[in-house]
Every structure is written in structure tokens, then in C-alpha cells.
Amino acid sequence: MAEKSEILVVGGGVAGLALATRLGKTLGKQGAARITLIDKSFSHVWKPMLHCFAAGTVQNENNRISFMSQASHHYFDFWPGEVVSVDRLNRKAVLGPFRSADGSVVLDGRTVDYDALVLAIGSCANDFGTPGVAEHCLFIDNLIEANGFNEKFRMELLRAFAANAELDIAIVGGGATGTQLAAELHKALDLVRLYSFEKNPPRLRITLLEAGPRILPAFPEQVSEAARQELERIKVDVRTSAMVSGADAGGFTLKDGSYVPATLRVWAAGVKAPDVTAQFGGLSLNRSGQIIVQPNLCSVDDERIFAVGDCSFIRDEPLPPTAQVARQQAHHLARHLPALIRNGTPVPSCVFRNKGAIVALGDYNGWGTLPGGTVFGGGWLHGLSARLGHMMLYRQHQVELYGLPRGLMSCLADWLDTLVRPSVRLD
């Protein structure tokens, strides 16, 4: 009896977990291949919600999907760990030692064989080598960093309240993450007022710094302007054409020589692949470290290696680093990898179909755009349609991973939880 083919998926984000789940329900369930997912965390979160976890307006304990539980329900294997290099000649992925929170080694370094390797390791903010950023700024690229920011945010709020002082926060990056974080932090303070601080919470000053001429550059100009006005209405200081030249323990220095003081400094600008891509067997990379792939998502250097989502780069047709792109690419591979494994049929080109985009500024406002450029949301409805659309995207993601019955029960459980838990993280 021939050995099972080994499909290794590295990274449990939007693309990786969707792909492992779908392949598990086909190849895994049929016994045609062994599907293995590797991630350095034990649970999945929807990355577009990280700014909510950072602000504490969403309880991340209720919005995590256990990789081990998902694997047991959908016929794939999960192993915790981080791939630190790839031996392309022998088709082996090399995992570094897996350590506990106290630094002790739980699992020694090891190798995992593959017949097909799918890299879905996502992206992180790009500091472009700006002096002081790595040492003095906070990032929210993953759940650990988002929780770390939330802890500092709550402690600094308490300190400001006790000292009757103002809390200064500066966010670099006027894309979706930065603008939504600014609004969500104000929402958190509004919610805190319901529970403590004698109904008079600490004063919060947020500065949003964007190097370009407008915030939300991926959206039409009318959305950018409307979002700017909304942020300014809730007292966010929005500064465009503000290039950061350095960071220190007290704030940011701008290219024009001015200085922005900030107790908490967040870097949410730029996108690059994790540095580890340079160790993946000499695969061709672009300047941001993304793996260069053909239109069928196969590496230009190795027909057995695929890359999807933010860590990939299609040279002939670059795509934005969004969850929508990652999801469509994962679905494409889920449809066509079985034929490659069974009879060697090449994976066809992946065609991205833009379904629009949505940005929601907390409960304050929101906008969406359709492929033809039509804008919806905002106005007298206060962005309700766009904010509901943003929520429905997340619920769709849950249903896709859980299946319809468990997905609907998850929605119900979240609603019931709001009846007993505070609406903002307080501890």
C-alpha cells in the first residue's frame, strides 16, 4: 500500500486554517493524504479584529478557535511550532525548539516531511528601518501583541486617572488598522465610563500619523475625508504628510523636525513578510520579504511550494494584503490541490474577484466600497450598514470554519455572553 501524501500548511491565519479545514474534509477524511497544520500559537483569531482585542472592546477568549479542536473535527493534524528553515532538496520543513512561557524547551527542534508545502505565515508591520521604532514602539500584528498593548493601555489609563493627567497615544499608520484602532480606543474609554472612574474617565489624547496625503489610501477619497472628519469629531488629532524619522521613549520625531510626545507609541504602518522567509531554501523574495509566486500561487522556484495571503507576491498582478485575498487564495488551493496530489494535475491560475472593502470606526461610523467604486454607509444611518457588514464578514468566517450548526451556536453564545460580561475588558 502506497504511503499517504504529506501536505504541510504553515500558518493558521485566515488562509492557513481555511485551507487545512477544507483539505481535511476532502483528502484527510478520504485517507488520500495527511494534512498537517503548524503554527506557533495554539489558537486562531481573525486578524481584522486585532485592533478590537488591543482596545479591549472584544473578549478574545470568546473569539479564538482552538487549532487542536478544529483539527479533531476536520480530519487534519496540528502541531505547535515555528518553521525556521526549509530543506527543499529533501522536502523537509525544519522546526525550531518549542518553548513554554518561562522559556524552557517543551519540544526539541525537529523536521516534518512534505510532498506539498503551503506557506501562509501572514505579515507584520514594516518599520522601514526607522531608528528607535523596534525598541520603543508597540505592535499589534498578532494576538500576543494585541493583548500586550491592552495590558499597557489599561495600566496607563489607571495611572492617568490617579494623577489627574492626560494619556497621550500616538499611532503611526493611517491605513485600516491605525484608523480603526484610534476609534476603538475612544470607544473603550466611552465604555469604561459605564463601570468606574466615577463616570469621569481619564482624559485621552490620540494622534494619528500618516506619511501620505490622506488616511485610508486604499479607499476612495470621499471615504478618506469622511473618516478623517469622524475621527476629528471624537477628538483624534489626524496628521497627514507626517513622515516619522525616529522614535524614542517619549514619542516620535517627524521629518519636519517637530516632535509628537506619547506615553504609548503604536506602529501600524507598512507591510512586510516575517523575516524567516529568507531561510526558506533560497526562495525568490521581493523587497518586503514576500515569496514571489506564479499566478497559480506556486513559488517561481519550486513547484512543490505554494504561498498564499500576505506572505506571497504575484509579480504580474500584485494584490493587497487583505483577508479577502487570503481567503480566496486558500479556497483556490483547496479546490485544486486534491487533483495535484491524486494525479499530478497542475494547479491553474488563481483569479482574484474583488468584492469590495469595509472599514468600521468603532460604533461611531463606517463605510464600504463595492467593486465599481460605489460607496455605502456613513450619513444619517451613522454607518450602520457598513458596521453590520463588517460584523457579518466575521460571522461568515466563523460559519466557514465551524460549519453552519456550530457557527450559529457560536454566534448565540457570543450574544448570551454580552448579557453577563462587561462590554470592555477591565482586568
Side-chain angles (χ1 to χ4, degrees), residues 167-389:
L167 173 57
D168 290 330
I169 301 176
I171 303 169
V172 178
T177 299
T179 55
Q180 291 181 136
L181 177 62
E184 209 69 26
L185 290 172
H186 265 281
K187 174 183 173 181
L189 203 62
D190 287 343
L191 293 173
V192 163
R193 182 182 288 111
L194 302 175
Y195 298 103
S196 60
F197 296 122
E198 299 176 349
K199 314 303 180 186
N200 184 28
R203 299 185 301 278
L204 181 64
R205 184 173 68 181
I206 297 178
T207 304
L208 181 63
L209 303 171
E210 166 57 39
R214 62 187 178 94
I215 61 172
L216 298 175
F219 286 78
E221 189 167 351
Q222 67 183 99
V223 173
S224 298
E225 181 58 29
R228 177 180 185 135
Q229 292 177 9
E230 188 65 37
L231 289 173
E232 290 176 341
R233 185 187 68 80
I234 59 174
K235 309 303 182 184
V236 175
D237 182 8
V238 180
R239 302 190 192 183
T240 54
S241 301
M243 177 75 73
V244 174
S245 60
D248 57 33
F252 292 107
T253 300
L254 304 187
K255 190 175 181 180
D256 63 8
S258 60
Y259 189 77
V260 179
T263 304
L264 295 178
R265 301 158 300 281
V266 184
W267 191 273
V271 174
K272 69 172 185 176
D275 294 338
V276 73
T277 56
Q279 309 302 318
F280 287 170
L283 296 178
S284 296
L285 310 175
N286 68 1
R287 289 186 299 175
S288 297
Q290 295 167 303
I291 300 160
I292 300 176
V293 298
Q294 299 175 19
N296 70 347
L297 308 177
C298 175
S299 162
V300 295
D301 305 297
D302 195 321
E303 63 181 9
R304 296 282 181 160
I305 298 179
F306 297 82
V308 295
D310 295 2
C311 72
S312 68
F313 178 80
I314 303 174
R315 181 180 292 161
D316 298 331
E317 188 184 358
L319 296 173
T322 64
Q324 179 184 179
V325 170
R327 182 172 179 268
Q328 289 190 30
Q329 291 178 340
H331 290 182
H332 180 79
L333 287 187
R335 283 193 299 270
H336 297 289
L337 274 181
L340 175 69
I341 294 299
R342 289 183 178 123
N343 51 39
T345 303
V347 175
S349 296
C350 179
V351 178
F352 172 65
R353 292 175 173 81
N354 182 15
K355 297 182 179 180
I358 294 176
V359 61
L361 302 185
D363 290 338
Y364 305 111
N365 218 325
W367 301 267
T369 60
L370 298 175
T374 302
V375 175
F376 63 90
W380 70 275
L381 281 176
H382 217 54
L384 178 62
S385 58
R387 288 185 286 115
L388 286 176

